Structure formats: structure tokens, C-alpha cells
Amino acid sequence: MSWGRSPSVREETTMHDHRRLGRELELFDTDPLIGAGLPYWLPDGAALRHTLEEYVRGAERRAGYRHVYSPVLGKRELYEISGHWSHYSDDMFPPMDLGSEQVVLRPSLCPHHAVIYRSRAHSYRELPLRMAELGGMYRSELSGVLGGLTRVRAIQLNDAHIFCTLDQVADEARGALDMIRQAYEALGIRPARFRLSLPGPGGKYVAAPEMWRRSTALLTEVLDASGLPYEAAEDEAAFYGPKIDVQVEDPAGRESTMSTVQVDFHQPERFGLHYTGADGAKHRPVMVHRSIIGSVERAVAHLVEQHGGAFPGWLAPVQLMVMPVSDAELPQAEALAGRCAGMGLRAEVSGREHGSLGARIRRARLVPYQAVIGAAEAADGLVALRLRDGRRLDPAPAGEVLARIGALAAAHSTALWDDGAAEPVRG
């Protein structure tokens, strides 16, 4: 399993503060009237977020996951059963009284997925059963720790839970790590390090020594077999089990967890989950928690800081900026943008109202592709394409240009163009 070499002192990257750049690029913002830790997404940010979410959903579908939806509220009793109320209540919002019941904004999706699993009978032939959701959850973060998209109170989590036999756990954890590796390659990011997160002293962890021993042994086996370098860290586990954390760094060198793989014997027991084995008897499944990109908010924050707004072509909010040289070419420019929309590419037209051609090119410096249409190109149905990295192509048929951009986007490639396809700008 190859993850590439980690950069030393963030070599080959330009790091940026996502709070500043995210606002300058009009990706997201906040307002005191909405509240601290509750950012809203502007159109370009929503386009980036939607594309990222669809990438994850597609990767999960191809890996055999089935998607579900579950409510962001749950009865307090749900979290008492799961163990969140006794081990995690300090990070939860207070319960709301609804008649004789109390409901809580969920701090996690796993209790809902456990209930969904137990709503139907299951045979060993169905396992592993992979259940995924991009769902909202809420954390009662203190105002002093909130910041941009990295620490928020309303979180959209890329979450999944695999219900499997004990013999299937290692393969499922390895499969999850491979999905994370592929996602990082597509996103153009690298992990800072891998961490085996273990329990520490104190009462915030479930008291079940044998359960911890078994789950830790499984994750250690997976990491050792993968050949990935990792460090063990105490007091970093989830309250119900150990986890593999994929760590990333912000511009100041501060680490945070983006992706995670966890083994959980606790909740299947608490919720009375079972499957019917080949022997006809009931058996307890193991629950593997897995997140490819973690929270969408933290993932976007890291992508902004990693790429400085120059996102991979498939992910960029605007993939192609169409620039007519004069008003005479505006109809052809608008037609080209329309063709892009029909192909699922995100394109905008930047006409003379935005200034000279040179000014428009500079303004669109972070857009992966700039299509310049002059009189000659308009007459012959051609496009003169400029790439964000400074290369430019000879005028070519618009259909051919769009097909090649679309192919790179569909492959989730970080390359702007095929090697050798363009010449550098001269003069």
C-alpha cells in the first residue's frame, strides 16, 4: 500500500489560512446572528462541498456500501444505551423536553446505524453489511475553541459502519484504509502520520479490558500488515474502542484527525445485535466504524490550506472560465458554457464587463482552465485553452477540448492535462 513520501516542512505545498482564504474565495462565511461555530456555505463553497460528497458516495457505492438516512435527533435513552450519555455527555447539547420524553441532537451517527441494523433479521450470508451516510451531527464546543471550518458545532460527517464477523474485521479495516489512500490521491493531499489511538487512565472509556485487548490486537495486525509507519498514542481512543487515525497538519503545524478506522465490540453488545450463523444459532457481529474524509467541514478547510484555492480540476468550484475577447464572441462563449453544463462541467463566462482580457485572465488565476474565444475561434468552433499552471494549447475543436477535460474530471485526476499536450507560454 503506497501513500507517497510525506513532505518535509510541507515541501511542494503552499499553506494558507483557510479562514481568510475561504472568505476571499467566497466559499463560506459566518454571521453572529446565526451563531459561532455555525458557518454557512456560499455558492462556490457549496459546489466544492457537493462535488466532494458525491466523490465519497461514488467511492462507497463501488466498494459495496448501501446508503441510509437517519434523523439528527434521538431520544436520550438511545444515547444511554450506546454509552454516549455516560461517557460523552459533556460534548453534547442539553436534552430538549418534548412532553414526557427528552430528545437530543446527536453527537454521533453510530447509535442510529445500530438501530437500523437491528430493525431486520440478518444471516451470515449478508455479512459484511456496509452501511454509509453523510449525515449531520452536533457537538457542544466551547466558544474559545471554535475556528473557521475546523472546529464547528454543526458537522456533516462522512460516516460508515460495517457489521461483520470477527474473521472479516481485518479485511474490512484494510479495505477502509485503501479507500482513504485513494481519496487522498484524488484530493492531492498527504497524511502527516498514522496513529494507533489507545485508551488512557480514567473513567471516560468503557471498562472492558478483554474487549480492548481484542480490538487493539486487530488494528495492530492491520497496521503491521499494511507496512504503514505508525505511532501508538494513549488517551486518544473513542470511548468504546481503539482506532486508526490518519493525521493531517494545518499551516502552523498543528495536527488534527481527518480519517479514521475503528473496531467496536461495545455497541453491538449494548444494542443486542446479532446475525444467524451457518449453524443456525445467533452470533454477535463486530461493528467497524470508518470515515474516508471525516467531517466535510474539516476536509474542506484542509483542502483550502493545502492547495491555496487552486483545487484539483475535478473538484474546483469553477472548472472552466470562458472568456470572449469581445462582445461579438459572447454568443459562442455562452454556448460553450451551456455545453459544459450539459456534460456536468462547471463553467462560467467572464465577459468584457469584468475588464480587459489580461485582467480577466489574472482574476481567474485559480480556475483550472481558461477558454479564450476570439474572432478566429468563434468562426471555426475552436477554443484556445490556457491552463492554470501557465501552459496554453493551440486552438482546438471545442468538443475535443471539453471531452478531454471531462475525462480527467471523471477520473478524479490531479493532472490538468496529458503530459506533452501543451506548450509553455512564451513571451
Side-chain angles (χ1 to χ4, degrees):
M1 183 182 295
S2 173
W3 291 75
R5 181 176 60 87
S6 295
S8 60
V9 198
R10 295 171 293 281
E11 65 189 29
E12 299 178 354
T13 62
T14 302
M15 305 299 282
H16 301 261
D17 186 336
H18 81 277
R19 294 167 296 183
R20 176 186 59 80
L21 196 54
R23 288 174 171 85
E24 289 179 3
L25 297 175
E26 297 186 355
L27 300 177
F28 68 91
D29 213 332
T30 57
D31 191 289
L33 193 58
I34 295 177
L38 299 170
Y40 58 85
W41 296 79
L42 296 163
D44 278 357
L48 189 155
R49 171 175 166 166
H50 176 82
T51 304
L52 182 60
E53 291 175 352
E54 284 305 299
Y55 167 82
V56 170
R57 287 192 179 99
E60 289 171 337
R61 285 192 295 269
R62 290 188 295 273
Y65 288 78
R66 303 290 300 276
H67 288 97
V68 298
Y69 287 107
S70 57
V72 299
L73 292 169
K75 289 174 63 176
R76 172 175 165 171
E77 181 184 359
L78 175 68
Y79 306 104
E80 291 174 342
I81 294 172
S82 71
H84 284 83
W85 191 255
S86 57
H87 295 279
Y88 202 76
S89 58
D90 288 346
D91 295 298
M92 297 170 62
F93 282 98
M96 294 172 279
D97 293 321
L98 290 178
S100 60
E101 296 180 342
Q102 286 190 323
V103 296
V104 182
L105 284 167
R106 67 178 174 192
S108 176
L109 280 69
C110 44
H112 288 76
H113 288 187
V115 170
I116 292 173
Y117 175 88
R118 80 173 189 183
S119 69
R120 302 288 186 274
H122 299 285
S123 162
Y124 71 97
R125 295 186 179 90
E126 298 175 62
L127 306 185
L129 191 156
R130 305 181 184 103
M131 186 184 303
E133 181 176 2
L134 271 159
M137 65 182 199
Y138 301 84
R139 301 282 171 87
S140 181
E141 300 278 14
L142 298 176
S143 298
V145 301
L146 298 173
L149 296 178
T150 55
R151 294 293 291 268
V152 294
R153 287 171 171 159
I155 303 164
Q156 193 74 12
L157 186 68
N158 155 232
D159 207 6
H161 298 93
I162 305 164
F163 301 89
C164 60
T165 68
L166 182 62
D167 291 342
Q168 294 169 335
V169 170
D171 282 344
E172 291 303 309
R174 281 191 290 267
L177 279 175
D178 195 49
M179 292 180 73
I180 294 167
R181 177 190 59 79
Q182 292 178 43
Y184 281 35
E185 289 178 356
L187 295 168
I189 59 178
R190 289 173 175 168
R193 68 184 178 108
F194 298 87
R195 186 177 73 193
L196 177 60
S197 296
L198 304 172
K204 73 176 186 178
Y205 300 103
V206 170
E210 177 59 19
M211 180 198 77
W212 284 99
R213 186 196 65 77
R214 294 171 69 197
S215 50
T216 300
L218 282 165
L219 289 183
T220 302
E221 173 192 337
V222 169
L223 283 168
D224 289 342
S226 72
L228 295 172
Y230 67 93
E231 301 172 12
E234 291 190 354
D235 210 27
E236 296 289 350
F239 73 83
Y240 48 77
K243 53 196 176 102
I244 297 171
D245 287 327
V246 185
Q247 302 294 102
V248 295
E249 286 186 353
D250 70 7
R254 293 176 298 233
E255 277 194 11
S256 61
T257 301
M258 179 176 286
S259 311
T260 185
V261 182
Q262 308 170 22
V263 173
D264 181 4
F265 290 96
H266 172 72
Q267 291 189 75
E269 181 178 338
R270 296 282 292 181
F271 283 99
L273 307 185
H274 65 267
Y275 65 90
T276 302
D279 58 359
K282 290 183 178 181
H283 299 268
R284 186 83 67 207
V286 184
M287 196 170 173
V288 177
H289 304 237
R290 182 246 67 195
S291 183
I292 298 174
I293 60 167
S295 77
V296 174
E297 291 79 10
R298 181 170 290 177
V300 170
H302 186 69
L303 286 166
V304 170
E305 295 178 344
Q306 177 80 17
H307 297 296
F311 303 108
W314 67 270
L315 186 62
V318 178
Q319 296 168 298
L320 177 66
M321 188 66 75
V322 187
M323 302 180 187
V325 173
S326 70
D327 290 342
E329 293 84 40
L330 186 58
Q332 288 83 359
E334 291 176 340
L336 183 65
R339 290 178 67 176
C340 288
M343 296 174 61
L345 295 172
R346 297 178 292 280
E348 292 182 2
V349 175
S350 179
R352 291 184 63 195
E353 69 275 12
H354 296 295
S356 67
L357 181 61
R360 285 179 273 158
I361 289 173
R362 290 189 295 273
R363 185 168 175 263
R365 67 191 182 281
L366 297 179
V367 177
Y369 307 100
Q370 301 170 5
V372 179
I373 302 178
E377 289 81 14
D380 297 331
L382 303 177
V383 169
L385 196 67
R386 293 171 176 262
L387 307 184
R388 181 175 58 201
D389 60 11
R391 291 177 290 168
R392 64 186 180 193
L393 298 157
D394 292 332
E400 177 185 321
V401 170
L402 297 186
R404 294 182 72 173
I405 293 173
L408 287 166
H412 302 108
S413 174
T414 56
L416 287 176
W417 204 254
D418 297 334
D419 290 341
E423 295 295 331
V425 175
R426 292 182 174 84

